[in-house]
Every structure is written in C-alpha cells, then in structure tokens.
Amino acid sequence: MGIRVTPSSMFDRAKFDLAASFTRLARVQNQISSGKRLQFVSDDTSDASRALDLRRTMLATLKSRDAVGAARTAADQQASLLQDISGLIIDARARAQEAAKGSNSPSDLAAIANEIDSILDQVLALGNQRAEGRYVFAGSKVNTVPFVATRSFGSITSISYHGDDASRRVRLGPNDLKSIELSGKEAFFRFNREPTIVTSNTGLDSVLGASDTMTGSAKVTLAHTQTVFGDGVVATTGDSVSGLKPGTSSANDTILGPSGEHSITVVSSPSGGGTLQLDGGTAVEFTGTETNLAVTSVSGDVVHVDVTTLTAGFNGNVALTGNGEIALDGGTPQALTFASDVSLQSADGRVVHVDTSAVFREGEALLTFGGTETIFDTLIQLRDEIRGANGFGDQGQVERIQARAGALDKAHTLLLTGASDLGARSQGFERLENSLDLISLSLKTRESELSDTDLVEASLELSESEAAYQSALASAARLNRPTLLNYL
Amino acid sequence: MSIGSSAALRALIASRRAMDVIGHNLANQNTPGYSRQLALLATTTPVQGNHLLRFGTGVEVAAVRSSVNEALLARIRSELALAGRSQAQNDMFDQVETLFADLSENGLATKLQGFFDGATEAATSPEDPVLRQNLLASASDLALSFRLRSSGLKELRTKSLLDAQGVVAEANQLLQQVAGLNSKIKTEEAPGVTANDLRDQRAQAVEELAVLIGAQSTVIGDGTVTVAVNGVALVAGGAANGVKVTLDNQGDMKVTTLTGKLDLKPNAGRLGGIIHMVDQDLKNRLTELDRLAKNLVLATNRVHAKGVPASGPFTSLSSSFAIDLSQVTDLQNTALENSGLPFAIKDGQLSIAISNLASGDVERFTIDVDAESMSVGGFIAALDAVPHLSAFLDGAGKLQIKAATGFGFDFSARLDGQPVEGNSFGASNAIVAGESTYPLALTAGSTFTLTANGGAAQTVTFNTTDFVDINSATADEVATAINAQATGVIASVIDQKLVIQSTATGPSSSIQITDGTGSPAAALQLALSATGTSTPVTVSVTGSSANAAGQNYTFKAVGDGQIGVTTGLGVEVYDASGALLTTLNVGEGYEPGTSLEVVEGVSVSFSAGTISGSAQQFFGLEVPGETDTSDILAAFGLNAFFTGDDSGTIAINSVLEGKPELLSGSAGGGPGDGENFLALAAVGDKPLDELDDVSLAGFYNLYAADLGATAAGTKASLDSSTLVMLTLEQQRANVSGVNPDEELLDLERMQQLYDASVKFIQVLRELDDTLLQL
C-alpha cells in the first residue's frame, strides 16, 4: 500500500509551515525594528552570556574612564593652581631683586614689602582654593581649610597646615588603584635638603657634609664679650709686653677671633705719644693718657684701647683675641670656641653645625637650609627682610634679601616639580582615558556584534522570510484544489 | 424469490450501506479525532443446490472498521504528554525571561554593575553628597530589582497553582467523559460490533488528557480503556477518579486523587511541566537569587561595616538585625551560632577602634569570638567591657553600642596615629620598664627597694599571698603588688610588659631601683634607673599597609638622649616573634618630625625630645588587618549598607536613606578619603567563599546564562515535539484520514454495484415477463 495523503494532513502541514514562516518573519521584523538581535538570553545563550559579560565590563570601563576623567580634572586643577602660584613666585622674585638693589629708599622698600605681602595673601588664597566643594590641597580633610594663617596687624606671620598626607586614589580596575593628586604637604612642604647657606660678614660658615636638621632659616648672633690684648696677663686681659689693655668701652668692641686674628700695630715714642693701627687700618694718634681710644680697622671693626700703661717706646704688633658668644635664634648664648664644627641646637631639638674657625667680627648670620623652607615661610621672611623686621640689623640686608630670593628660586622649582608631577599624572590619566575609551568602544562594538541586529543581514533575511511567507500563502491558497467531484 | 433476486437485493442493500459509510467519512473528514471507516463487504452464505451444486447468495456488509494504528496512537499520546510539558515550561520561561530582562538596561547584571560603579564614582570625590546620593540611589535601585524579581518569581509560582488547578479541572471533565464513553462502548459493543465513533471520541479525550496531565491509556478486553498517570489509574471501566492540586507545607504542589490517598507525581503533560517549574526550576531560581542577594548583603556589609562615615567615628550605633527575644530567652546560655541572626558567625576576632574625639588618639581593643562557646550575652558583655563603650540589647533585640562622652568608635583598620600608651616611651615622667615575659617565677619574700622622685627608699616585697601562684606570677599581679607597697610611682601593664612610672613629671621625676633579696628586679628584667624630662617625645604613625596587615611591632629606645641631637640614639623595631627588623636613627642627623618607613606603607615619626634606652622605654604598634574575621558585624548588621537576607527582603539600611553622609566611604576617617568606597567597588569582582569562589558579578552571569540555556533547551524541546507531532499527525492522517477522492471513487464503485444490481433485477423481471407471456 502506497502512502496515503489526505487533504487534512496537507492543511495541517500548510498551517504549520505558514506559522513557521510567519514566526520567522515576525522575529526578523522585530530584530530590525528593535535593533536587537537578542531579546532574551535564550535566543542565543552563548552569545547572550558573552554580551552580558561584555556589557558589564564595558559599563565598568566607562565608569573607570569617567573616574579617570575626574582624576585628570583634579590633577589639572592642582597643576593649574601650582602654575598660578609659580607665576606669583616669579613676581615675588622680581620684587626681591628690586629690593636687593641697595638703592631703595625706606618707602620704596616698604612698598615692595607690601607687594610681597599681597603676593603671600594670593598664594595663601590659591593654596586654600576649593574646587567642586573640596579644598584642593587638604589631602583627605577636604572640608578643612588646609593653610591657616596667623596674622599680626594684618600681616601673615606664620602658616600652619591642617590637612593630612592622604591622596585620593582612582580605581582603574580590579586591584588597580592610582594616586590622583598631591596633598598640601607634598605641594608646599616637600623637602629636599640642600647644603646650608650662611649669609653673613662675620666669617661664620657652614660645615660641609654636616647632618643639619634645622629647616627653613635661622639667625645666628655672634656677640663680642671681651678683647684680650697680647698675653692678657695684666688685669685679666691686658698685655704685659706692650702694656696695652682694653679701653673703658671695650664692651663695644666688634672684633671676634682667636689670638692673632686681629692685631694692633703700635708705634710709640719714648716720650709717650704715638699711633695705633687695627689690622692695618687708619693710624690713630695717642698721647699716652687715653683710657678709651677707639681704633678702627679698614673693614670697620673697632677696638677700644687704654694706652695709659703702654710701655714707652714700644713698637710692634700686639695680637688681639676677640672673645664672644654665639646664639641661635635668640636662644641661650654659648661661648665661641672658634672651632671648625660647632653644634647649635634650636628649642625644638633641631641641630645645625657651623664653622666658627674663621669668625672675625660680631654680627648676625642668616642660615638658610635650602630645600626645607615652605613657600609661605620664604615669602614671609623675604617680606620681613625687606621691611627690616626680621630681627637682623641693617647690615647685610641686601645679602639676606638676595639669599631669600635664592630661596624663592627653590620654592619656584618645588612648585614646578609639583606641577610637573601633576602634569605627568594628568597626561597619564589622559592616555588612560583614551585607552579606556578605545577599550569601551571595542567592548561596545563586540557587544553590539553579539546582541545588535546586523541590518544588512537582517534585511536580506527579511526579504527571504517575506518571499517564503508569500510562497507559503500561495501554496496554501492552492490547497483547495479540484477533486474528483469536479469531474463526476 | 429466486436466489438471484435475493443476491441482487443484498447487493443493493450492501452497496447502500457502503455508500452510507462513505457518506459518514465525507461528513467527518474534518472532525478532530475521526478515523476513516471502511465498510467490509463479504459474500453471504451460499445455498446447497442439486447435484452437489452450491449457489452464492450475494453480498453483505460484514463489518464497518476504523482505520486505526493503535501503536501510532500510543506514540502520539506519549509525544503529546511531552509536548504538553514543554509547552507549559516554555510559557513560564517566557514569563521568567521577561521578568529578568537580562539583556535590557534594567537587567540585574546592569543594576549590579551600576551599584559597584556608583562606589567607584563616589571614591573620586568622597565628600560630594551628590555622588554619595547616586551610590545610595543605585543601591536602592539594585535592591528594588532584586525584590521585583523575587516577587515576580513568587507570583509566577502562585499563578502556576491557578494554572494547575485549571488544568486539573479540565482533566477531571475529560476523565469523566472517558469513563462515560467506556460504559457506552462496552454496552454498544456487547453484540459484537465495534463502536468506532465512540472509540474515536474516547481516543480524542485520552489524547487531551495526555496533553493536560501526561495520562496514558491501556485498552482492556471488554473495549474499555484504563487511563493512568504514573501507574495511578484515574479511569477504570466506567469509573473515573478525579484529581486535585494542593500545596504542601513547603509550598510545593502536590497532585493527588480527589480522595487524597494517591500521589500522582506527574512529570509529563502541562501539569507535569507546571509542577516541574514550580517545585524545581522556579524554586531553585528563587533559591539561587536569594543566595546571590544574601551574599551581596554579606559582602557589602562586611566592607561597609569597617569604614568610617564622613562625620567621623560613631558615638552610637544600632544593629540592623535583631535577636528574636521570643526565641532566644536565655542570652547567657545561647551560643552566638544559635542566635538566630540571618548571617552565620564564625570563630574569629573583632577589633574595635576607640577614638578620643578631642585628641584623635586611637586605642584598639580585640574581642575573641567563639561562635560555639561564646554566648550572645557574653559577646555583649565583652563589648560592654571595652573602655569607653557600653553595649546592650534593646527591647526589640537590637544591639545598641554607645561611646562615652568625648569618645567615638569604629571598626576600621586605621592605624593608631599616636601609638604610645601609658607614657611608656619618651614621657615627661620617669619610667622604668621590664623586659620579661609572663608568667614567670618569683622567689617568695624577694624584695627590691624603690626610690621615687628623690624620696625615701621603699621596700617592695613579693609574698606568696600576692599571687595565685608565685612560681607563675603574672604581670598584673606584680603591678598590683608594687602599687600596694610603693608611693610616688604607678605600676601598670602595657603590651604585656611591666611599666613603673613616676607620678611626677619633668627632670625632678626619678625612679631608682636596687635589687634585693631574691633579685626580683633581675627576674623582672627591670631597668634600674630613670629620670623624667621637660622635653617629652610625641610619636606619630601614618599610613596603612596591606603587606603588614595584622602585624604587631615593638619599638625600643636605644641609647639615652635627645631626638635629632644625640649621636647614636636610635629606636629598634621588632616584629611579633621578637626578630629585629630595623633600627631607626633618631639621633644626630634625624630631623624631628620626619617620617621613617617601618614597613611598606607604614611610617613613624618622632618629635624632638628625650628618650631613654637605659630605662627600656618602648611602645607597641599594631597594624590592623581584617578587623572582623568572625563576621559578627555583618551578622548583627552593625553599620550595615544593606538590610535583609534574601532577594525578597534586601533593601538599603533605612538609617542611610536620605543621609548619604552616613555612608562609610572612608577607611581612615577623612571626609575626602574614599578608600572604603574603593573597597566597596571591588566587592563585585572579588571571589567569595560563600559562592564557591565565584564573584557576585560572575555568579549572576552564570545565573542568567543558566536561565537562558534552560529556557532555550525547553524551547528546543517544544520545537522538537511540535515537529514530531506534525510528523505523527501526518502519519495518522495517512492511516486514518479521509481522502475525498478515495471516498468518491469508492462511492462510484458502490454506485456501479448498485446500478448493476438494479440492472440485474431488471433482467430478472424481463425474464419473468417473458416467461409469463408464454
């Protein structure tokens, strides 16, 4: 018996085929209209799972890119501020140079000092700048004003840091974190100690290679306490050979130094008169009755001499010893030993080593600890130096201003280092941003390949499906074929 | 009547009967379940003539038979049962996939990632309330997504019961119908005929039962069929046993006979599909979703609990989860592991940082947690015993922790920025410390003399009464004995070491010890002399270190003198095993305040001042590691991010709602510190033990993939069944279907038979007429 085919089975088959064609057509149409090849994971589990994973990675990448973008903005903000401050420091440097000319009147210097003061305020304002509600240089204490000024009569006398050392980090991916910015401490207080510089005309010097621990700058005061003539055996300090002894104003002598550092040349006549010269300076005449004869050297040092006991007819050089004391920043003075390495200690336990072996005159010395001074301190001290309010006398002001100007150079370098560091970070972030952009684009493309509709392919499939559906319809329409009845 | 006439008459009748059958076929060619019938023609019984001649008597319709292939029908019923199951599952998977919408922007994977990305973003500006609020919003959105899916799955299960009940109601009608048809068929076929149409109707009903409940049938000798599901007869002869669907205690569906005695456990047909989905697939999916949500809560809370809010350490904290006081009535005798809290508590340690809010000093206390032997009450008492803390369970069973005025607490791993405790290092008081480890043996009656601050010498005697066992003296006992006998000094135990400090400060403060009988000072390895200073030293520690997490270090002064001044002054750093790690130069050349790295990421600095190695000055530094290895913070929901413990209850902690500043994004306490947000962001990618070393994100990807694969499998199974059914139906149509052409040809043939018979009768009549005309 052959295969029997009944109209019912043909209709059923046609119904099935029509439904299948229509389903396919509807699916393709839906893919085109929605733009999505995959509506549900079950449409293609493998591709859908990969698409899900890709999308998750893409979202995370996009967020990382945003975070990196924010990090770049933050680094740029800090770099920009440091650049601005750097510009102010250049201005301050120019003002310092002007002040160091030595030909300025007091009013000129006051004007320059006021300009420095204004720059200091501007630097402080920039250091306390806020961006997006946070203090830019406060570390993690973003709600705390990082630099707090102490003022006296409106002028800043010191600035303290109230932020912390923390630096924000950005998440670039699993287990991949990167620091974004500098804390205020790093930006303004970054130390890179350099050899100690002594600015003074006293003969004081630094000790090369010593482990100084003081920071910023310090003032050393060298004070004369006693002049010893020759062997100093007469009345404690008088010379037994020449008979010279300290004058009544000997306390005002300015010389310092071990025996022989200074000397007085005596030319006397047997009758009692004569001349005295200090270190080859101008000869001062005496009659023999002077108890307080001031003798000045070429360099301006002064010794007061009592010639009443001068050995008549004595001619020759009398060695002088200038005893004195040395004190750090107004601290307790200690006796000068003229040693080549004297350790001076500040009240907070910091140490500086100085060479006193060549000290020859009393006076003040500015010790600058390069690379350890904050930008604020440098500006404050420069201003005060120009104002003459730094505790130093007038002598050596120009040199000290120049020394402060040198410190400004260091500050400028520090700022540029910070800005450069931030710039490098910013560039790194930018490269990373671009890279993450590319990665996310690649992920998006891949995810799109998996889940989005390929319109060309889908259009072709739509055409095919339409043709198939039309054929199925045409075929079904012909099912009502003639039967035997038509011919009976 | 002649034989011929009779034969012609029979032929007329037979052809008419056959044409009736053809007409019946034509009429029912589109009737569902109808099987083509055939009139079987057969010769009638011949008659005996003369001379042994036998004459045929014509034709008759011997039977009307249906064209049925019983084996094919059985196969169809089996396939229908499978198709019914696949259809039900497919319908439900469509709904589940729509519910989860994994490939859309509202998919759970996207929401999950959105939450962790929110933490990444918040870390970029931790102080930004907008970013914090965004994180809360994404967390809330994620929790809502979980809850929607959970309720959707539960609703599907509920609706499925209604579906199942509808299926069962329909099936019960069909069972009655089959039983009724059985009776009719039995009656009608009693005379020996076949009730074709009734059998067709019955077969149709049985097929529908196969689709609905996966029923199979067996034909019995009397023409009836038995209908059964998994061996449980639902129709036997003319009797039908209906079925019902109920839910058991577990919420699982149970299908029994109406009497409830027989459990059908259907695994085919729509009912089988629904039950499989409800009792296994949907249930398992809900269970796994709950597992994911629970571990999201756990992993997130583990991290969040150890952070510090923007507002700084807590002054009070209430747990999110409560002890059920109606169940746990004896707190002192209920082990932590039986506390009924939603998350398991493990054996481990909890480290608590107590902050002096004014000075910022942090003191760290550790509680050993033993889930089995420590009671709930014991844990609360241990918390309560932490200095400056009070802890209690409130009436609702929630753990309340409060700090004393001026103090705060948190569970972060931040370092103690000022690690020196009890003036043991660089203090203005004179101190002498002992190096011994305890317990140690002291001689009963041993003495030393102690002179404090230039006063009179005092004798300290160690008697047996001062100790539980003088051969095993503890540091605390030694300190107590000294304090009881000496004035001007205070003995205490710091980091397991004995420290005796003068009550006076400054250079006039001094301690002199002279060992006496039994040499107890030597046994205690006490320093014998110390003088106070006017320049105390402040020690500061900064940083954090994953490398040194969980390590303890001891710092000991080496040499006597001034920080930054005295040549050779140093501080030795020992690890917990007593091994010397490094010696820090704090003498000449050290700039006071300069940070010195101890281990990677951890630095210590010393202010100017005086320290003494001869007095054995020391301090300890703990670099906290994991501050809660017991999970007790997560179990109680202390400083929790999420509450709830499954997909239906997960929600953000109500305390955080509208208060983004309470998010613990900081690891160290600074408002701009986003380290804990970064840690939160990493939670999604971190493999979890509880998820078999799979991350939360990975787990959900597997979950979604499994749902898709299962749904695709069901769809494929349905497509396959549909194709098979199409083939089988065509085979049935080939056997049982009505072909009008065939029928018309048969009709023609029967008509010809009829015509021939009529002609034959005419011929016989003409013969008769001719004969009569003779």
Side-chain angles (χ1 to χ4, degrees):
Chain A
M1 185 178 167
I3 296 174
R4 291 180 71 243
V5 178
T6 62
S8 174
S9 67
M10 291 177 69
F11 275 111
D12 286 347
R13 181 78 217 186
K15 265 168 62 181
F16 179 84
D17 290 340
L18 270 177
S21 275
F22 188 73
T23 302
R24 184 180 170 208
L25 184 62
R27 180 175 56 79
V28 178
Q29 279 182 330
N30 184 266
Q31 286 180 353
I32 292 173
S33 61
S34 69
K36 291 288 177 190
R37 183 176 74 89
L38 302 176
Q39 304 288 330
F40 297 107
V41 178
S42 62
D43 290 342
D44 186 333
T45 308
S46 171
D47 280 0
S49 292
R50 285 157 62 202
L52 263 180
D53 199 41
L54 285 167
R55 179 183 296 176
R56 192 178 67 81
T57 312
M58 183 185 70
L59 287 173
T61 306
L62 284 172
K63 196 54 72 176
S64 287
R65 190 206 58 186
D66 290 348
V68 170
R72 180 174 55 78
T73 305
D76 284 345
Q77 282 169 345
Q78 275 202 337
S80 171
L81 286 170
L82 292 184
Q83 292 281 8
D84 291 348
I85 294 170
S86 166
L88 290 172
I89 296 301
I90 290 172
D91 289 347
R93 178 76 167 84
R95 298 284 80 76
Q97 288 293 71
E98 201 177 325
K101 280 179 183 171
S103 57
N104 292 294
S105 66
S107 62
D108 291 339
L109 289 175
I112 292 171
N114 287 341
E115 283 185 64
I116 300 292
D117 207 30
S118 169
I119 287 171
L120 177 59
D121 275 324
Q122 290 176 61
V123 172
L124 176 66
L126 289 172
N128 285 335
Q129 193 68 241
R130 297 184 79 170
E132 297 171 11
R134 64 184 355 248
Y135 285 102
V136 173
F137 290 107
S140 76
K141 293 185 172 179
V142 292
N143 298 328
T144 304
V145 180
F147 300 105
V148 175
T150 304
R151 293 174 187 267
S152 173
F153 301 105
S155 281
I156 296 171
T157 54
S158 67
I159 286 179
S160 54
Y161 180 61
H162 293 256
D164 60 22
D165 297 346
S167 167
R168 274 189 298 174
R169 295 195 293 175
V170 62
R171 184 170 189 263
L172 309 178
N175 304 318
D176 192 1
L177 301 170
K178 190 168 179 62
S179 286
I180 298 175
E181 56 205 350
L182 303 175
S183 69
K185 222 173 191 175
E186 284 178 295
F188 294 85
F189 291 67
R190 187 153 41 177
F191 293 161
N192 184 18
R193 179 177 290 278
E194 295 171 349
T196 302
I197 295 172
V198 178
T199 307
S200 172
N201 57 2
T202 62
L204 189 73
D205 204 353
S206 60
V207 177
L208 196 63
S211 303
D212 294 344
T213 59
M214 290 192 72
T215 57
S217 63
K219 184 177 86 169
V220 169
T221 306
L222 297 156
H224 171 272
T225 54
Q226 183 186 56
T227 303
V228 177
F229 289 76
D231 55 14
V233 298
V234 177
T236 312
T237 56
D239 179 30
S240 62
V241 178
S242 64
L244 289 180
K245 59 182 182 183
T248 53
S249 296
S250 180
N252 296 328
D253 291 354
T254 62
I255 63 162
L256 290 173
S259 177
E261 178 66 37
H262 302 277
S263 64
I264 284 186
T265 305
V266 182
V267 178
S268 65
S269 63
S271 59
T275 60
L276 298 178
Q277 279 181 290
L278 177 62
D279 297 335
T282 307
V284 178
E285 291 185 354
F286 64 89
T287 61
T289 59
E290 294 87 349
T291 58
N292 194 31
L293 185 66
V295 186
T296 305
S297 71
V298 175
S299 55
D301 293 323
V302 176
V303 171
H304 295 84
V305 188
D306 181 344
V307 296
T308 55
T309 57
L310 177 70
T311 304
F314 177 81
N315 289 297
N317 290 334
V318 178
L320 300 177
T321 301
N323 290 324
E325 293 173 333
I326 184 167
L328 181 67
D329 277 336
T332 306
Q334 63 186 77
L336 264 173
T337 60
F338 307 108
S340 59
D341 186 354
V342 173
S343 175
L344 301 175
Q345 188 182 334
S346 67
D348 63 357
R350 295 177 182 272
V351 172
V352 60
H353 295 260
V354 289
D355 182 354
T356 60
S357 60
V359 166
F360 64 94
R361 174 190 297 148
E362 73 170 11
E364 293 160 337
L366 170 66
L367 307 185
T368 310
F369 308 101
T372 68
E373 202 170 45
T374 73
I375 293 164
F376 300 111
D377 287 343
T378 305
L379 287 170
I380 290 168
Q381 285 157 6
L382 173 63
R383 177 203 63 198
D384 290 348
E385 200 66 72
I386 296 170
R387 281 180 178 164
N390 226 7
F392 291 95
D394 293 340
Q395 197 174 27
Q397 184 187 29
V398 169
E399 289 77 10
R400 290 195 298 275
I401 290 173
Q402 284 172 339
R404 302 296 187 191
L408 277 184
D409 288 339
K410 310 285 184 203
H412 185 244
T413 303
L414 169 65
L415 289 167
L416 289 184
T417 303
S420 160
D421 183 0
L422 290 165
R425 291 186 200 192
S426 174
Q427 283 177 1
F429 288 141
E430 191 171 2
R431 281 195 297 274
L432 192 58
E433 225 178 327
N434 293 336
S435 171
L436 290 172
D437 263 337
L438 286 175
I439 291 170
S440 62
L441 182 64
S442 164
L443 290 167
K444 173 73 183 161
T445 305
R446 185 71 192 115
E447 192 257 351
S448 176
E449 283 172 2
L450 291 169
S451 63
D452 289 352
T453 306
D454 181 336
L455 284 176
V456 175
E457 192 181 318
S459 298
L460 285 173
E461 194 179 347
L462 181 65
S463 300
E464 282 177 25
S465 301
E466 279 176 341
Y469 187 56
Q470 284 168 3
S471 301
L473 285 173
S475 168
R478 293 175 69 86
L479 280 178
N480 192 15
R481 76 199 196 296
T483 67
L484 194 59
L485 198 58
N486 299 84
Y487 303 98
L488 290 175
Chain B
M1 187 179 287
S2 66
I3 294 171
S5 299
S6 300
L9 183 58
R10 287 194 183 92
L12 280 175
I13 293 169
S15 59
R16 284 300 299 269
R17 294 284 178 271
M19 284 191 281
D20 286 345
V21 170
I22 290 165
H24 189 59
N25 282 341
L26 286 169
N28 287 290
Q29 62 180 304
N30 290 326
T31 303
Y34 178 76
S35 297
R36 179 192 180 210
Q37 295 177 10
L38 291 173
L40 299 180
L41 298 180
T43 54
T44 50
T45 309
V47 296
Q48 188 68 43
N50 296 329
H51 308 293
L52 299 176
L53 293 174
R54 292 174 69 84
F55 297 97
T57 57
V59 65
E60 66 176 353
V61 174
V64 177
R65 194 189 69 196
S66 277
S67 294
V68 173
N69 181 337
E70 286 295 342
L72 181 61
L73 289 183
R75 175 84 199 286
I76 287 172
R77 283 195 293 273
S78 296
E79 199 57 42
L80 282 172
L82 293 177
R85 174 188 162 104
S86 297
Q87 184 66 58
Q89 289 179 315
N90 191 61
D91 290 350
M92 219 168 286
F93 272 122
D94 279 352
Q95 295 179 64
V96 175
E97 283 208 288
T98 305
L99 174 67
F100 277 79
D102 282 315
L103 294 179
S104 77
E105 295 299 318
N106 291 319
L108 203 48
T110 308
K111 301 288 182 190
L112 198 61
Q113 191 58 44
F115 166 58
F116 295 118
D117 286 347
T120 299
E121 192 174 30
T124 60
S125 286
E127 75 289 352
D128 188 339
V130 176
L131 295 184
R132 283 172 171 261
Q133 187 56 49
N134 285 349
L135 173 59
L136 276 180
S138 62
S140 183
D141 199 17
L142 173 61
L144 178 63
S145 296
F146 267 108
R147 294 200 302 275
L148 284 176
R149 281 153 182 80
S150 173
S151 63
L153 287 175
K154 287 171 185 166
E155 195 178 342
L156 266 178
R157 292 191 78 199
T158 309
K159 281 183 177 173
S160 296
L161 176 65
L162 296 177
D163 282 349
Q165 286 171 337
V167 167
V168 162
E170 201 177 337
N172 282 341
Q173 284 185 354
L174 288 167
L175 290 169
Q176 290 294 343
Q177 189 181 336
V178 171
L181 287 167
N182 266 349
S183 298
K184 283 184 184 173
I185 289 167
K186 187 176 177 183
T187 305
E188 288 201 13
E189 292 186 350
V193 297
T194 305
N196 291 319
D197 290 337
L198 292 177
R199 281 179 178 249
D200 283 349
Q201 287 176 28
R202 186 178 67 188
Q204 178 70 14
V206 170
E207 282 181 10
E208 287 178 32
L209 281 169
V211 172
L212 290 172
I213 59 175
Q216 296 302 317
S217 64
T218 311
V219 180
I220 308 298
D222 61 358
T224 62
V225 293
T226 300
V227 176
V229 172
N230 274 341
V232 177
L234 300 178
V235 175
N241 196 359
V243 294
K244 64 178 179 183
V245 181
T246 52
L247 291 180
D248 66 12
N249 294 336
Q250 308 296 318
D252 291 344
M253 282 190 192
K254 192 171 181 183
V255 181
T256 61
T257 53
L258 285 175
T259 57
K261 290 181 178 173
L262 297 170
D263 193 351
L264 272 65
K265 296 186 174 66
N267 54 14
R270 281 184 57 197
L271 189 59
I274 291 170
I275 288 175
H276 181 269
M277 286 297 289
V278 170
D279 292 352
Q280 292 186 42
D281 205 282
L282 293 182
K283 190 177 179 181
N284 291 342
R285 276 181 209 291
L286 188 57
T287 302
E288 289 298 283
L289 193 67
D290 284 345
R291 188 179 173 205
L292 177 65
K294 184 169 186 170
N295 282 290
L296 171 67
V297 173
L298 178 64
T300 307
N301 285 355
R302 270 178 184 157
V303 172
H304 190 258
K306 294 161 198 163
V308 184
S311 50
F314 303 102
T315 52
S316 67
L317 199 57
S318 173
S319 69
S320 294
F321 301 120
I323 302 268
D324 185 350
L325 296 177
S326 65
Q327 299 294 319
V328 180
T329 53
D330 185 357
L331 294 174
Q332 299 307 324
N333 289 307
T334 302
L336 283 170
E337 65 180 5
N338 300 323
S339 60
L341 290 166
F343 295 96
I345 298 170
K346 301 181 290 192
D347 292 349
Q349 291 185 322
L350 173 65
S351 177
I352 305 153
I354 303 292
S355 304
N356 182 320
L357 297 178
S359 68
D361 190 24
V362 176
E363 202 172 352
R364 193 165 283 284
F365 299 90
T366 301
I367 297 175
D368 289 321
V369 176
D370 185 322
E372 190 180 356
S373 65
M374 185 178 227
S375 68
V376 175
F379 171 68
I380 295 168
L383 261 182
D384 196 51
V386 172
H388 315 301
L389 271 196
S390 63
F392 61 93
L393 270 193
D394 66 14
K398 289 192 172 183
L399 177 59
Q400 304 287 345
I401 307 176
K402 294 185 189 303
T405 305
F407 290 89
F409 65 95
D410 61 68
F411 308 101
S412 72
R414 62 200 167 112
L415 290 168
D416 180 358
Q418 295 164 321
V420 177
E421 289 179 39
N423 297 330
S424 65
F425 185 91
S428 55
N429 314 56
I431 73 141
V432 291
E435 298 261 291
S436 286
T437 55
Y438 296 84
L440 54 74
L442 288 176
T443 305
S446 59
T447 62
F448 65 65
T449 55
L450 184 151
T451 306
N453 311 318
Q458 309 171 72
T459 300
V460 175
T461 306
F462 296 105
N463 297 310
T464 52
T465 52
D466 296 328
F467 303 90
V468 174
D469 176 3
I470 198 167
N471 292 316
S472 189
T474 67
D476 285 320
E477 288 172 325
V478 172
T480 303
I482 294 170
N483 287 333
Q485 299 175 64
T487 58
V489 294
I490 297 171
S492 58
V493 180
I494 299 171
D495 292 339
Q496 286 84 51
K497 289 186 176 182
L498 178 67
V499 174
I500 304 172
Q501 59 180 297
S502 160
T503 53
T505 60
S508 62
S509 162
S510 66
I511 296 174
Q512 296 290 330
I513 291 175
T514 305
D515 219 353
T517 307
S519 304
L524 297 168
Q525 296 180 36
L526 268 176
L528 298 177
S529 165
T531 306
T533 177
S534 57
T535 53
V537 172
T538 302
V539 180
S540 301
V541 172
T542 56
S544 63
S545 175
N547 294 335
Q551 298 294 314
N552 289 307
Y553 300 96
T554 301
F555 294 71
K556 294 181 183 176
V558 180
D560 293 358
Q562 283 183 280
I563 298 283
V565 176
T566 306
T567 304
L569 195 67
V571 175
E572 291 177 337
V573 184
Y574 294 86
D575 67 12
S577 70
L580 178 64
L581 297 181
T582 184
T583 301
L584 307 174
N585 171 30
V586 297
E588 187 190 19
Y590 173 73
E591 296 178 18
T594 304
S595 291
L596 302 172
E597 193 169 69
V598 179
V599 288
E600 187 183 344
V602 177
S603 296
V604 60
S605 65
F606 302 85
S607 72
T610 304
I611 60 173
S612 171
S614 62
Q616 298 177 174
Q617 292 183 349
F618 75 98
F619 66 92
L621 172 67
E622 179 186 356
V623 181
E626 181 59 54
T627 54
D628 179 18
T629 54
S630 65
D631 273 347
I632 202 158
L633 294 176
F636 272 101
L638 285 163
N639 190 22
F641 194 111
F642 287 113
T643 57
D645 63 344
D646 59 31
S647 59
T649 55
I650 182 173
I652 60 168
N653 185 352
S654 59
V655 173
L656 300 176
E657 281 184 50
K659 292 183 179 171
E661 70 277 9
L662 293 182
L663 281 172
S664 295
S666 159
D673 171 3
E675 290 294 312
N676 213 43
F677 280 144
L678 290 172
L680 273 180
V683 166
D685 293 318
K686 185 181 173 189
L688 299 177
D689 291 344
E690 293 81 1
L691 293 179
D692 304 322
D693 272 341
V694 176
S695 68
L696 290 165
F699 186 88
Y700 188 72
N701 266 16
L702 292 173
Y703 183 90
D706 181 65
L707 171 61
T710 312
T714 306
K715 201 177 289 179
S717 176
L718 178 62
D719 289 345
S720 167
S721 280
T722 306
L723 272 175
V724 170
M725 275 309 301
L726 180 68
T727 307
L728 291 174
E729 286 292 356
Q730 287 194 315
Q731 287 178 17
R732 173 156 68 176
N734 291 345
V735 174
S736 306
V738 176
N739 186 332
D741 292 341
E742 272 183 353
E743 300 303 326
L744 287 173
L745 282 172
D746 286 346
L747 186 63
E748 280 291 313
R749 190 159 45 191
M750 289 303 134
Q751 193 177 354
Q752 283 180 6
L753 173 61
Y754 190 88
D755 288 348
S757 299
V758 170
K759 185 67 180 175
F760 180 63
I761 290 169
Q762 281 177 343
V763 169
L764 287 177
R765 194 177 70 187
E766 284 172 8
L767 287 174
D768 286 345
D769 287 347
T770 304
L771 190 61
L772 288 173
Q773 286 172 4
L774 288 179

